[in-house]
Amino acid sequence: MIKLISALADIARRCSEAVAILAVALMLGVVAFNVIARMVFDATGTAVNFMIPGAIEIASYSLLILTMPAIAASLRDGMISVDILVTRLPVSIQRLATRFWFLVLGATALTLAWLFWHEMQATQARGDATQDMNLPLYIFYAAVAVETVLLAIVCLGEALTHGAPKPDHGEGHLS
């Protein structure tokens, strides 16, 4: 059972990484393109306008879509810890604390998934849409709900299989 959960967590992490990469690429691409388009717009005295309509909205929703998968992807090397405190604890307590915090984060993710799912249902029922591009708003809530479930799966996998602190690679730890 633990191997199955570990495999599911690995798949969830890889899916999260792919979503995070795509969302960052979209967000940065749209912002960079619009910055250049704005410079051309200003340089031509407003004669040439090839700015993307709704660029701010695209960037904002890309950031929303990026958040949860980025958290799941960042857990590959464990959580950030304050070494000066954690390393003073016995290893068994370190493992227990690590597993506890992964379970707390997973429970938080499941709670958020439930809340986003209900918000998705409400926005779908109301027919809410984004302001500039008139996209159905429920799509974004559904995406974040799925992403938070993936985060919960990653946390469960980490809690069950990687409860021991990871070796320090000089990154991600506060001293």
Side-chain angles (χ1 to χ4, degrees):
M1 184 67 165
I2 291 177
K3 286 188 179 207
L4 175 64
I5 292 171
S6 180
L8 287 174
D10 189 49
I11 291 167
R13 183 180 290 111
R14 281 189 270 137
C15 290
S16 295
E17 288 173 356
V19 169
I21 287 168
L22 289 172
V24 165
L26 176 64
M27 183 174 61
L28 292 177
V30 166
V31 169
F33 183 84
N34 248 31
V35 166
I36 293 168
R38 181 65 184 202
M39 291 182 344
V40 170
F41 180 76
D42 290 343
T44 61
T46 70
V48 177
N49 181 7
F50 56 92
M51 288 186 280
I52 300 171
I56 293 172
E57 192 171 81
I58 293 170
S60 298
Y61 286 110
S62 295
L63 183 59
L64 171 68
I65 297 296
L66 162 69
T67 305
M68 290 302 164
I71 293 171
S74 73
L75 295 177
R76 172 178 314 214
D77 294 323
M79 292 187 177
I80 295 174
S81 62
V82 180
D83 289 343
I84 196 165
L85 300 175
V86 175
T87 56
R88 296 182 194 278
L89 298 172
V91 173
S92 60
I93 301 296
Q94 290 178 30
R95 286 187 185 129
L96 186 63
T98 300
R99 288 183 175 154
F100 172 76
W101 287 115
F102 273 119
L103 291 174
V104 168
L105 181 57
T108 302
L110 285 176
T111 302
L112 288 172
W114 182 77
L115 292 170
F116 277 115
W117 185 257
H118 284 287
E119 190 62 26
M120 181 274 304
Q121 291 175 323
T123 57
Q124 185 180 26
R126 287 191 307 258
D128 292 350
T130 60
Q131 184 176 351
D132 295 332
M133 298 174 54
N134 204 30
L135 296 172
L137 199 54
Y138 73 88
I139 293 170
F140 300 102
Y141 286 110
V144 176
V146 169
E147 291 167 353
T148 53
V149 169
L150 292 177
L151 174 58
I153 292 169
V154 169
C155 289
L156 179 60
E158 288 292 323
L160 293 176
T161 60
H162 300 304
K166 305 285 193 233
D168 186 13
H169 300 292
E171 299 177 352
H173 291 280
L174 302 174
S175 297

